[in-house]
Amino acid sequence: MSNTLRGEVLRSFKAIHKVRKDVFKGDIRALAEGRKKINEEYKKHKHVDNDESIQELVNYAKAVEHELRHCVIQAREVSPGVYQAEIREDIPKLDNVTFNEDCCNNVENSSVKGSTKCR
C-alpha cells in the first residue's frame, strides 16, 4: 500500500470516529458501540492489500461518514412518551407542506377516489 493510500485510510478512520462523537454526543452506550463497530470493520479489512479494494473501502467509509453526519439525529425521552430531537446544523432541513384537512375530507366524500386534486 502506498503512503498516500495509507494516509487516506488513517484520515477516513479519524473522520468517522470524529463524526461518531458529534452524532452520538452524550449517549455513552451509542458512543461505545459505535467505536467498537468502527474498529471491528477496520480490523476486519486490515489485511487487504489490493490498492483498488482499499480505495473502495475508503470511499465506503466516506459514504458512511456522510450518512451519519447528514441523516442521523438523536432523540431523547424527556418524559414518558415525549421525545426531544437533537437536530444539528449539518442536518438538511426541508420545507414543510401545510396539512390541509379539508382536502382529505373532499377526497373521502368524492364519488371517484383520487379525482380531487389538492395541494
Side-chain angles (χ1 to χ4, degrees):
M1 172 175 16
S2 70
N3 285 337
T4 306
L5 198 51
R6 180 177 173 80
E8 270 191 77
V9 170
L10 292 174
R11 276 190 296 280
S12 72
F13 181 76
K14 288 178 181 180
I16 203 164
H17 271 292
K18 183 178 179 186
V19 76
R20 170 190 63 90
K21 288 179 181 180
D22 290 342
V23 170
F24 301 116
K25 187 185 316 181
D27 187 343
I28 296 167
R29 182 175 176 216
L31 285 167
E33 290 298 318
R35 166 189 262 142
K36 183 175 144 185
K37 185 64 177 173
I38 293 165
N39 290 342
E40 277 177 15
E41 289 298 315
Y42 274 82
K43 284 178 185 174
K44 183 169 68 175
H45 296 98
K46 181 179 181 176
H47 301 293
V48 174
D49 57 3
N50 181 346
D51 286 355
E52 289 178 17
S53 298
I54 293 170
Q55 189 61 52
E56 286 178 22
L57 290 167
V58 167
N59 291 340
Y60 180 72
K62 288 177 182 178
V64 169
E65 176 196 353
H66 181 270
E67 193 76 15
L68 282 171
R69 184 174 306 280
H70 298 287
C71 299
V72 175
I73 62 169
Q74 247 182 333
R76 298 174 193 221
E77 190 172 24
V78 292
S79 63
V82 178
Y83 293 86
Q84 178 181 357
E86 300 290 330
I87 301 175
R88 297 175 315 282
E89 289 182 20
D90 46 2
I91 297 288
K93 287 126 186 116
L94 305 173
D95 291 333
N96 288 333
V97 177
T98 306
F99 177 70
N100 184 349
E101 191 171 335
D102 293 334
C103 179
C104 293
N105 291 334
N106 289 340
V107 172
E108 289 173 3
N109 296 331
S110 105
S111 60
V112 179
K113 297 277 186 192
S115 62
T116 307
K117 289 187 179 180
C118 291
R119 290 212 176 219

